[in-house]
Amino acid sequence: MTATLSATRPEFGREDVDALVDDLLALLGPRGVSTLDRALDRAAHDGSGLSPILSAQDLGRPDAVCYPKTAEQVPAIVRAAVRRGVPITARGKGTGNYGQVVPRFGGLVMDLTSLSAVTGRTGTTITAQAGARMVTLEQRAWEAGRQLWMYPSTVQSTLGGFLAGGSAGTGTIVHGRNHMGFVESLDVVFGHEDAEIVHLTGLEAQPLVHTYGVAGIIVAATVRIEPLQQWKCPYVSFDSHYEAFPAAMAAGAVAPLPRLLSADRAEVVDALPADPALVRGRANVRGIVDAAALDETLAVLEAAGGRVEAIRDGLPQTLRVSTLSYNHPTWWLQKAVPDTYFHMEVSGDALVTRLHEVEQVYDGGMLHLDVGHGMMFGMINGVYHSPEQVYAGVPALHALGVGVHSPHQSYVDLDADRVRAIARGTDPKGLLNPGRWLE
């Protein structure tokens, strides 16, 4: 699992950065660019704090940060950076990534969060700029009797951030991951000397999803929506997660399929925010379930020993359940017990069928479970001792039939060879978020 990142650094110096800052001041004004330490420090952090391995590394720090206010300013910024030979790392909120949006070699960070306009909607799509929050898009969809195909557990993430650096979330059980048809079109800017906004649709747009901005900077997107379902949010407690996890797996197959279904053992539940529906000392299954499937879902959970603690509805409640899925329980666990735990992303039905063996792989092993697209998905948390200890557990997990994805890395990890081939044409000078390739 250990890997060496490309160390090819673009050839630029302080004088190039200073010249670029002058260019950007002329383009964006004094409020549109900063070299202040507080701005640079803020742009040098993302979700990598969840990884004790990454937290011990110097992941990089920008030399300048800029804040475009219009989409049309983005290609002008790129043209200036390419002319000066300064690398560019685009980012939104950055909370859901592990080092991928921290500028490894410095240079310019382009903060796109001000590009937040929702610009269009049809019966099947919604269009917005890269800085629009996913929660805003979901709210707009609900107002029109629609819902997003999916949104991330970090519901305040930006659209561009989710498409460039995210993967799965609420809605994944039905629709898969965000590179599996969610995107209808993208407006992107390539790393060219004559950069302009390029509109890509259909199969042309898909290769730019989940690529961390190494092949193009997303400035706007059109994504799929669908008719709004009547959602209910059940919370069901269990004596043990050995009852709760198989019950969640079974309930995840009840049609219409749930939008989200998560489960935790009692020790993880105890670390989650206080809520009467999250009973301390008891395991928990919670989710976003179609009203038409609620009775059958509850019957499955109660037959397995579950006790219904609450049933809630409405948009705020669905968003709340979403923020208790995927890596968020790990965040709460690490907050409750600082400087103790690491996690690995894991997948496969063996997370349920061989649960005890999976949790035994790591010292203090505790699994968080999400029902995924055709398989179980989760986070195995363990007491951290060393990078070697973390990676030594991977073969044991594989032997149990568990898929493993490491959050302790900052490289392109989806079809990297294909993305790298694209980037050779869209970023010929290697200035878009460089240093994201394994050698």
Side-chain angles (χ1 to χ4, degrees), residues 36 68 272 403:
L36 296 176
L272 297 178

Side-chain angles (χ1 to χ4, degrees), residues 182-389:
F182 179 50
V183 176
E184 180 178 270
S185 69
L186 295 175
D187 286 351
V188 299
V189 176
F190 299 137
H192 293 161
E193 294 180 353
D194 58 351
E196 296 291 350
I197 296 175
V198 178
H199 184 69
L200 302 174
T201 61
L203 295 178
E204 289 183 326
Q206 298 307 312
L208 276 297
V209 178
H210 197 70
T211 59
Y212 307 115
V214 300
I217 297 171
I218 298 171
V219 296
T222 297
V223 295
R224 307 285 182 183
I225 59 176
E226 61 190 355
L228 178 63
Q229 295 167 255
Q230 184 182 357
W231 295 115
K232 300 291 183 179
C233 301
Y235 291 73
V236 181
S237 72
F238 291 79
D239 289 337
S240 166
H241 66 302
Y242 291 111
E243 298 172 345
F245 283 25
M249 185 177 183
V254 176
L257 293 178
R259 205 171 190 204
L260 182 73
L261 208 58
S262 304
D264 283 298
R265 57 187 288 159
E267 292 88 342
V268 178
V269 172
D270 290 351
L272 297 178
D275 185 325
L278 298 170
V279 180
R280 297 314 190 231
R282 289 179 64 81
N284 179 269
V285 174
R286 57 201 173 272
I288 306 173
V289 176
D290 191 297
L294 181 62
D295 288 345
E296 185 177 352
T297 298
L298 294 179
V300 169
L301 297 175
E302 289 178 304
R307 185 178 77 199
V308 178
E309 304 294 348
I311 300 173
R312 300 167 177 169
D313 56 23
L315 177 60
Q317 294 299 331
T318 64
L319 296 175
R320 176 173 172 76
V321 175
S322 297
T323 63
L324 299 177
S325 63
Y326 289 87
N327 60 4
H328 285 254
T330 291
W331 187 86
W332 285 106
L333 181 64
Q334 292 187 357
K335 186 177 181 180
V337 189
D339 303 319
T340 301
Y341 290 101
F342 73 95
H343 72 294
M344 294 288 266
E345 299 175 3
V346 287
S347 61
D349 290 352
L351 300 180
V352 175
T353 61
R354 306 185 74 171
L355 173 58
H356 177 72
E357 295 168 274
V358 169
E359 291 191 318
Q360 289 297 306
V361 168
Y362 290 118
D363 178 23
M366 294 188 290
L367 183 70
H368 162 77
L369 185 74
D370 290 293
V371 177
H373 183 64
M375 70 171 68
M376 298 300 105
F377 184 81
M379 307 286 171
I380 178 70
N381 302 278
V383 176
Y384 180 70
H385 299 293
S386 68
E388 293 74 19
Q389 166 241 1

Side-chain angles (χ1 to χ4, degrees), residues 5 45-55 57 59 94-102 153-154 165-166 210 212 325-328 330-331 334 343-345 377 379 381 405-413 436:
L5 283 176
H45 290 87
D46 63 359
S48 53
L50 281 173
S51 164
I53 295 174
L54 292 177
S55 296
Q57 301 175 22
L59 298 176
T95 57
N97 296 113
Y98 300 98
Q100 292 94 347
V101 292
V102 177
S153 56
T154 306
H210 197 70
Y212 307 115
S325 63
Y326 289 87
N327 60 4
H328 285 254
T330 291
W331 187 86
Q334 292 187 357
H343 72 294
M344 294 288 266
E345 299 175 3
F377 184 81
M379 307 286 171
N381 302 278
H405 176 261
S406 172
H408 312 289
Q409 47 84 2
S410 57
Y411 51 84
V412 174
D413 56 356
R436 301 298 167 204

Side-chain angles (χ1 to χ4, degrees), residues 158-174:
T158 55
L159 174 61
F162 179 50
L163 297 183
S167 180
T170 300
T172 282
I173 294 173
V174 175

